[in-house]
Amino acid sequence: MMQHCLSKLVWQVFKRNFMVYRKTWRVSISFNFFEPLFYLGALGFGLGAYVQPMEGIPYLNYLAPGLIASSAMFATSYECTYGIFIRLEFQKIYQAIIATPAGIEDVVAGDMLFGAFKAVLYGTVILLVVASVGLVSSPWALLVPPLMAISGLLFAAISMTWTGLVPNIDSFNYFFSLIMTPLFLFSGVFFPLTGMPGYVQKMAWISPLYHVVNLTRGLVTGNLSPALLGDFLWILISTVLLIPVPVILLRRLVIK
């Protein structure tokens, strides 16, 4: 399957999505771009003035990397849930594409790559913004975009798996309320989890965003440790294991 996913038809699907995005990017970027900046302004510059340094760094510097990672996650998740469901069920884009020489694997892989592209785009833009206000203190931050690409593939696989399971578009409310929001709040974006009960800390380990936040914070602040290698391996292995799942589920939806 992976050999088929790397065919040039995958990039034709990606190109199609990119051409559509060029016409709608101003509207699309508004939520994913401005919301983390509002969090940074309100919590970082506002609340942060009353908060003690966390893990040895000022709260604003602590918060910024978490917002980079979470912004990239939400960009991919919205693209690979609502975006794909609309193309699949309402616009019938999937059905139209697989009537060409492209297969369902090409469509899924192309959409997955486009989801990862949006993670890189939004994560990098937020990174540049926080760098412009002096919140990036390490050249290791140059590795954040490649990290967003890998984690984008992981969040794309998770989101597309949910897309392959839901019966209607309203079911995405469960995904964002019961999965994405807890990930956002309990993955170390806003505060260290060391102050939380032990079971919460253990549950955080299964959160993909928790590992992405750890890595992003380490790269942006320059506080690197061997434990970050474990976070990277967690993301890499999970991505490899989960990528085939949406292919199976979306093939079933298109064929039924």
Side-chain angles (χ1 to χ4, degrees):
M1 186 194 74
M2 291 305 296
Q3 183 179 1
H4 189 64
C5 288
L6 295 177
S7 74
K8 62 181 181 181
L9 296 174
V10 172
W11 296 106
Q12 291 299 319
V13 176
F14 178 90
K15 181 180 177 182
R16 178 259 167 206
N17 292 337
F18 182 74
M19 292 177 67
V20 173
Y21 182 69
R22 287 176 58 188
K23 298 180 180 179
T24 62
W25 69 272
R26 289 181 179 84
V27 176
S28 176
I29 204 170
S30 59
F31 172 77
N32 299 98
F33 176 70
F34 288 111
E35 187 180 76
L37 296 185
F38 290 148
Y39 276 113
L40 189 66
L43 298 180
F45 290 101
L47 181 63
Y50 304 94
V51 176
Q52 296 294 322
M54 292 186 177
E55 297 184 347
I57 58 177
Y59 184 64
L60 191 57
N61 297 68
Y62 181 89
L63 176 64
L67 293 177
I68 294 171
S70 59
S71 177
M73 177 190 73
F74 278 115
T76 301
S77 299
Y78 279 109
E79 173 63 32
C80 294
T81 51
Y82 286 108
I84 289 179
F85 192 86
I86 290 172
R87 291 198 289 275
L88 178 65
E89 292 292 332
F90 300 110
Q91 297 176 337
K92 304 298 182 184
I93 299 296
Y94 269 53
Q95 292 81 349
I97 293 179
I98 64 172
T100 71
I104 186 66
E105 293 84 0
D106 299 309
V107 186
V108 173
D111 278 350
M112 198 172 292
L113 287 175
F114 189 70
F117 161 75
K118 294 191 76 171
V120 175
L121 174 64
Y122 287 87
T124 302
V125 169
I126 302 298
L127 173 65
L128 293 174
V129 171
V130 300
S132 68
V133 294
L135 298 179
V136 174
S137 53
S138 169
W140 286 104
L142 294 173
L143 293 180
V144 169
L147 172 63
M148 294 299 105
I150 298 173
S151 62
L153 288 174
L154 175 58
F155 288 119
I158 294 172
S159 302
M160 293 173 73
T161 296
W162 189 270
T163 303
L165 293 172
V166 297
N168 54 61
I169 197 168
D170 294 326
S171 300
F172 289 121
N173 291 334
Y174 295 117
F175 180 70
F176 284 98
S177 299
L178 301 179
I179 296 179
M180 302 308 290
T181 298
L183 290 186
F184 184 47
L185 295 177
F186 298 102
S187 293
V189 174
F190 298 102
F191 49 83
L193 296 178
T194 50
M196 301 292 289
Y199 70 89
V200 175
Q201 297 181 41
K202 292 179 181 177
M203 290 179 64
W205 188 85
I206 65 174
S207 163
L209 182 61
Y210 171 75
H211 302 282
V212 179
V213 168
N214 286 344
L215 281 165
T216 306
R217 185 167 289 128
L219 294 173
V220 170
T221 62
N223 294 326
L224 303 178
S225 69
L228 295 180
L229 180 60
D231 292 311
F232 179 73
L233 290 176
W234 192 101
I235 295 169
L236 192 62
I237 293 172
S238 299
T239 302
V240 172
L241 292 177
L242 289 177
I243 279 180
V245 179
V247 177
I248 299 171
L249 294 174
L250 291 172
R251 181 193 290 120
R252 176 181 58 85
L253 277 180
V254 173
I255 293 177
K256 75 176 182 180

